[in-house]
Amino acid sequence: MTLALGIDIGTSAVKLCLADESGAVVASVDAPLRLSTPFPGGSEQNPQDWVDAVKIAANNLDANHRAQVSAIGLSGQMHGAVLLDQAQQPIRPAILWNDSRASAECAEMAAAVPDIGHIAGVPPMPGFTAPKLLWLSKHAPEEHARIAHIMLPKDYVGLFLHGALVTDPSDAAGTCWFDQHNRTWSDKLCAASATDPNWLPAVLDGSAIAGQLHPEAADALDLPAGIPVATGAGDGAAGAVGIGAVAPGDGFVSLGTSGQLFVTTETCRPNPANRIHAYAHTLPDLWFQMAAMLNGARPMAWLAELLNRPIAELLAEAEAAQPGPLFLPYLTGERTPHGDADIRAGFWGLSEGTTQGTLMRAVVEAIAFTFADAQAAMAAAGTKPERLLAIGGGTRSDFLLQMIADVMGVALGRSEAADVGPALGAARLAQIATGTPVAEAAVKPEVSRWFTPDQARAEILAPRLAGYRALYPALKSVNEALR
């Protein structure tokens, strides 16, 4: 038996997944990551931490399984700015997807390139890579002057594995330097963001072989040296490959630290007004539309950490509780539909009867409501999926999945490997790179449970959804008053 190894560089953890020749998950392990918030709105990680976490996770795999690995694929959090000097060493910590420091620079880029939303697939937002470079040119010119190479998180790990400076179309798509229609770097967008195009990596399809596993990396991971390493994909596109969303109309919801509503398309279909991302897929001749929510299932973990209680206990109490307060879940701002990096979270309607269970119920409702907003934005962009698969750690909660299905009016399917997500897609890209046809590797999983929308519950939730939607402009005015 041969195995493909998928490596996913997340925000809170690195996850490794082993898949057999049929694409089934044989094993998965993870290793935690630390997040640094150097100032309000700042979000950074040390790139070396990703490599170290990959080493830890790999050595937690069964030794017999490691010996059977015949190819590696990569996935990772998108948009992160990994800046390297001439010696290919990090100049500073990576600035991540949920960093909001570059708001003003987004406006500068939009003013410099009026059609930027159609070229880049969506208007610039602070989490994207290009505005961060413009910010650095003004606020850290000594670091900016040292840049020789710019990488994305998964590609920095790829550099450790195989030594090549490469990325794939889906990760390139999230930088705001990429011409989505022509699938090339845009000189115009580089010029608007103080970026030398020569700093950017080569772009290969996600299923292309980027290189072979170096002996040093092989020793560190206890894997066979010389095995091929596929270029891989950004986490959204990797999740699509893992769940078989590789034909026009295929789609899924992702419930990780961030949230996504993703639908594969046969052409690039930007809709800047609704902040729907229209990006190149990792596979050739495909694109996708994506609503991107910065907070995903993270607010559930945030509340559990704040209350020092297990998530499972709070979710059980939430399911038994009556509706109470409303919650706006924007702990780190929001992309779709608001494009507001400065908005923050808040509860409304607290009373003496509020319990920890009603607080968690409000959080679960808010996560579901973000997907209702995402669905409305995607419908305005001309896409209306009828059935969706679900991936990510948040899929462990039946309560959350049922509520999302109810408010969206869309059936959601969960598979046994739903929480593996992009790591499985990375493993399947490795299989495609080594000769397995896409149709055989990127198969849809067997759904273990469908969550069917309930019209009666949707009607009960409707006024709460309306109240939730009224919270954003109300708290935005508070935010502006405080400034």
Side-chain angles (χ1 to χ4, degrees):
M1 180 172 69
T2 61
L3 300 174
L5 172 63
I7 300 173
D8 176 47
I9 310 302
T11 309
S12 58
V14 164
K15 180 169 287 187
L16 272 60
C17 166
L18 289 172
D20 64 17
E21 293 98 330
S22 71
V25 175
V26 173
S28 65
V29 295
D30 55 52
L33 290 169
R34 295 169 295 175
L35 185 69
S36 172
T37 53
F39 51 82
S43 182
E44 299 181 346
Q45 282 178 328
N46 180 354
Q48 185 59 41
D49 287 350
W50 304 328
V51 174
D52 292 342
V54 170
K55 294 176 182 177
I56 291 169
N59 284 280
N60 285 332
L61 291 168
D62 180 89
N64 290 329
H65 285 157
R66 289 199 299 268
Q68 297 174 71
V69 172
S70 61
I72 300 172
L74 293 165
S75 168
Q77 51 171 296
M78 296 173 66
H79 315 301
V82 185
L83 311 178
L84 308 182
D85 61 18
Q86 288 283 2
Q88 299 182 358
Q89 296 301 306
I91 294 168
R92 64 172 331 280
I95 309 175
L96 301 189
W97 57 273
N98 53 355
D99 187 286
S100 62
R101 73 186 72 186
S103 294
E105 287 70 25
C106 291
E108 287 183 41
M109 289 186 66
V113 186
D115 59 344
I116 191 169
H118 288 277
I119 299 171
V122 70
M125 300 183 197
F128 296 169
T129 327
K132 296 167 187 168
L133 267 289
L134 187 55
W135 185 93
L136 284 165
S137 72
K138 296 185 289 185
H139 298 278
E142 69 290 346
E143 293 177 351
H144 189 270
R146 294 176 57 202
I147 297 172
H149 308 285
I150 301 173
M151 305 294 287
L152 283 305
K154 79 167 192 321
D155 304 317
Y156 179 78
V157 174
L159 181 65
F160 160 72
L161 296 176
H162 53 65
L165 297 162
V166 299
T167 192
D168 82 293
S170 68
D171 233 355
T175 62
C176 209
W177 288 311
F178 203 59
D179 181 330
Q180 309 294 345
H181 305 270
N182 296 309
R183 298 169 82 102
T184 59
W185 299 118
S186 166
D187 289 342
K188 183 189 294 187
L189 298 183
C190 288
S193 57
T195 301
D196 184 339
N198 293 318
W199 296 340
L200 303 179
V203 180
L204 303 176
D205 289 334
S207 57
I209 295 175
Q212 281 71 41
L213 186 64
H214 279 182
E216 297 83 359
D219 287 344
L221 305 179
D222 194 18
L223 292 172
I227 60 176
V229 181
T231 306
D235 54 4
V241 174
I243 210 161
V246 294
D250 291 342
F252 64 90
V253 298
S254 175
L255 287 158
T257 302
S258 61
Q260 298 163 345
L261 171 57
F262 182 113
V263 178
T264 301
T265 60
E266 72 281 6
T267 58
C268 183
R269 304 207 300 255
N271 192 295
N274 292 289
R275 295 184 175 87
I276 293 294
H277 301 48
Y279 281 172
H281 210 308
T282 193
L283 297 173
D285 303 319
L286 288 173
W287 287 258
F288 60 87
Q289 287 183 315
M290 181 177 70
M293 291 75 76
L294 291 181
N295 298 280
R298 169 60 188 162
M300 295 193 303
W302 165 80
L303 183 63
E305 292 164 5
L306 192 66
L307 299 177
N308 195 27
R309 300 241 352 246
I311 289 180
E313 286 184 9
L314 285 169
L315 284 171
E317 292 176 16
E319 191 167 5
Q322 293 297 311
L326 291 170
F327 180 61
L328 200 69
Y330 305 145
L331 295 167
T332 54
E334 188 54 300
R335 286 191 192 163
T336 308
H338 303 306
D340 188 342
D342 297 322
I343 193 66
R344 289 296 178 265
F347 285 100
W348 177 89
L350 300 176
S351 71
E352 291 189 357
T354 299
T355 66
Q356 294 183 359
T358 56
L359 290 178
M360 181 57 92
R361 185 181 185 93
V363 169
V364 172
E365 286 182 346
I367 295 168
F369 293 160
T370 65
F371 280 90
D373 279 351
Q375 181 191 40
M378 192 164 279
T383 301
K384 297 180 180 180
E386 296 180 359
R387 287 158 65 94
L388 295 164
L389 299 177
I391 64 172
T395 60
R396 298 186 189 101
S397 171
D398 293 357
F399 182 43
L400 174 59
L401 285 181
Q402 185 61 59
M403 192 170 292
I404 295 173
D406 291 340
V407 299
M408 290 183 70
V410 172
L412 298 181
R414 179 179 63 197
S415 68
E416 294 300 330
D419 62 344
V420 179
L424 176 56
R428 290 181 168 180
L429 286 169
Q431 292 175 321
I432 298 168
T434 51
T436 304
V438 173
E440 294 180 19
V443 294
K444 291 180 174 61
E446 182 176 342
V447 172
S448 57
R449 178 173 173 183
W450 283 101
F451 294 83
T452 305
D454 183 290
Q455 183 60 33
R457 284 193 297 261
E459 290 174 0
I460 293 170
L461 288 166
R464 295 186 62 78
L465 174 58
Y468 164 85
R469 286 174 168 162
L471 266 185
Y472 170 70
L475 290 188
K476 183 175 175 65
S477 67
V478 173
N479 202 41
E480 290 172 348
L482 288 172
R483 281 189 294 184

